[in-house]
Amino acid sequence: MPELPEVETVRRGLQPVMEGAKILDAEARRPDLRFPFQPDFVARLKGQVVTGLGRRAKYLMADLASGDVLLMHLGMSGSFRVIKPDNEAQPGEFHYPKAKDSAHDHVLFRMSSGADILFNDPRRFGYMKVIARGALEDEPLLRGLGPEPLGNEFDAAMLARSCQGKTTSLKAALLDQRVVAGLGNIYVCEALHRSHLSPRRIAATLSTKKGEPTDHAKRLVGAIHTVLNDAIKAGGSSLRDHRQTSGELGYFQHSFKVYDREGEKCTTPRCGGTIKRFVQNGRSTFWCPKCQK
């Protein structure tokens, strides 16, 4: 599942051809993805100017001049492809050849910027929905989401309050979208390693009895900020399905400290430990038992 850096990378790839442009035409080439398309899905998009393209957690959100918002989720295998008039790709160092089979191109946006934007999703776990902006707070897909990890309100004090009294593991707490929105397995593993905290640590240890943040909470928030910003700068982590809108692979996976490095030496200076893997809440957890306590 693409995580926050991957979704932010896609947003930045779409922004130049989508933001400020009119949707001249839209096509839903099948009746559903993960959920059925709304009966008026295409009608509410045609002729609308995209006034802004944002992100909330792992969702892309296109503000429309009508006051509607187009909510988009990549699912497990969804990707956007931008086709410009010359139909030429601009491959980079980690270019991945575009699939010739267009059977999975399920949604098309034809923009006044001259670009066609195709949403391809072989597994059809992605979804799109048009929502009135005034109804966003009541939208079930968004309701209950925690703070953005790169937003101003997310700090050690907020994380400590969210984890106060929690007896779950620290990793499980960070994957809870009600605690912090947009984090997934990869970046939680990486942030915990950078902050030298065990994924098995009890979440409540981030807070004092009075609800104030401990040094653990301060280190962890700093590590979350660093790993997400580094990943966004690198274009995300393309493991299996995720691709940038240009067709290029993200390459933060070349900077992983623990994720998918089972059996390798820990990169923490003077540690000398070995990266281990175990299954936690049904997900693979990678960590260094020697320097993560």
Side-chain angles (χ1 to χ4, degrees):
M1 184 76 72
E3 299 183 27
L4 185 154
E6 287 73 56
V7 179
E8 178 62 20
T9 297
V10 172
R11 187 194 71 81
R12 295 183 183 190
L14 291 174
Q15 193 173 27
V17 295
M18 203 169 191
E19 197 169 76
K22 180 183 289 188
I23 302 174
L24 300 178
D25 195 12
E27 295 179 19
R29 296 177 174 176
R30 55 174 299 111
D32 59 6
L33 291 173
R34 184 173 179 181
F35 308 121
F37 286 109
Q38 298 150 296
D40 59 352
F41 176 78
V42 169
R44 291 172 72 176
L45 296 176
K46 282 186 177 181
Q48 292 301 318
V49 173
V50 178
T51 58
L53 185 63
R55 178 192 53 76
R56 176 71 170 107
K58 301 176 185 180
Y59 293 93
L60 290 168
M61 301 176 67
D63 284 293
L64 306 178
S66 62
D68 284 336
V69 176
L70 171 60
L71 189 72
M72 300 172 279
H73 195 285
L74 296 172
M76 295 180 68
S77 62
S79 63
F80 285 93
R81 188 165 76 250
V82 175
I83 302 175
K84 296 185 178 180
D86 56 14
N87 204 30
E88 292 183 3
Q90 301 287 329
E93 182 179 358
F94 298 99
H95 176 250
Y96 185 86
K98 296 172 183 174
K100 295 180 180 179
D101 184 3
S102 61
H104 304 300
D105 289 341
H106 301 311
V107 181
L108 166 69
F109 303 120
R110 180 155 290 128
M111 308 302 297
S112 63
S113 60
D116 284 355
I117 301 171
L118 283 162
F119 180 69
N120 183 286
D121 189 2
R123 302 184 194 180
R124 300 202 304 273
F125 275 24
Y127 44 91
M128 296 186 186
K129 186 176 182 180
V130 181
I131 308 166
R133 172 152 287 281
L136 283 178
E137 289 187 4
D138 297 321
E139 170 54 44
L141 296 171
L142 300 175
R143 192 169 54 230
L145 284 178
E148 288 287 319
L150 294 177
N152 292 332
E153 63 179 354
F154 180 71
D155 57 15
M158 171 170 278
L159 183 59
R161 288 193 299 271
S162 297
C163 291
Q164 187 177 16
K166 283 188 179 292
T167 58
T168 58
S169 70
L170 185 50
K171 186 186 177 191
L174 293 176
L175 289 175
D176 185 343
Q177 299 299 295
R178 295 167 298 181
V179 173
V180 56
L183 289 182
N185 195 43
I186 294 174
Y187 297 108
V188 168
C189 287
E190 290 295 308
L192 287 172
H193 179 261
R194 294 190 185 205
S195 57
H196 305 298
L197 296 176
S198 169
R200 290 189 168 111
R201 172 181 282 275
I202 300 300
T205 60
L206 297 187
S207 173
T208 67
K209 291 181 179 180
K210 294 182 179 180
E212 297 174 349
T214 63
D215 288 340
H216 301 318
K218 296 173 185 177
R219 289 208 315 268
L220 181 54
V221 167
I224 290 171
H225 287 160
T226 299
V227 74
L228 290 180
N229 282 317
D230 286 352
I232 291 170
K233 184 178 179 181
S237 303
S238 293
L239 305 177
R240 300 179 184 171
D241 295 309
H242 171 71
R243 301 288 178 265
Q244 297 183 52
T245 55
S246 62
E248 300 171 31
L249 289 168
Y251 50 93
F252 185 71
Q253 67 267 30
H254 300 290
S255 301
F256 288 159
K257 304 295 184 184
V258 288
Y259 191 83
D260 205 27
R261 295 189 63 241
E262 181 182 11
E264 297 182 30
K265 291 296 181 184
C266 179
T267 59
T268 299
R270 298 181 295 280
C271 173
T274 301
I275 305 303
K276 303 291 185 181
R277 172 190 172 274
F278 68 97
V279 177
Q280 190 176 24
N281 302 112
R283 306 294 299 276
S284 290
T285 293
F286 298 90
W287 72 310
C288 174
K290 186 172 181 181
C291 70
Q292 290 181 250
K293 302 298 183 182

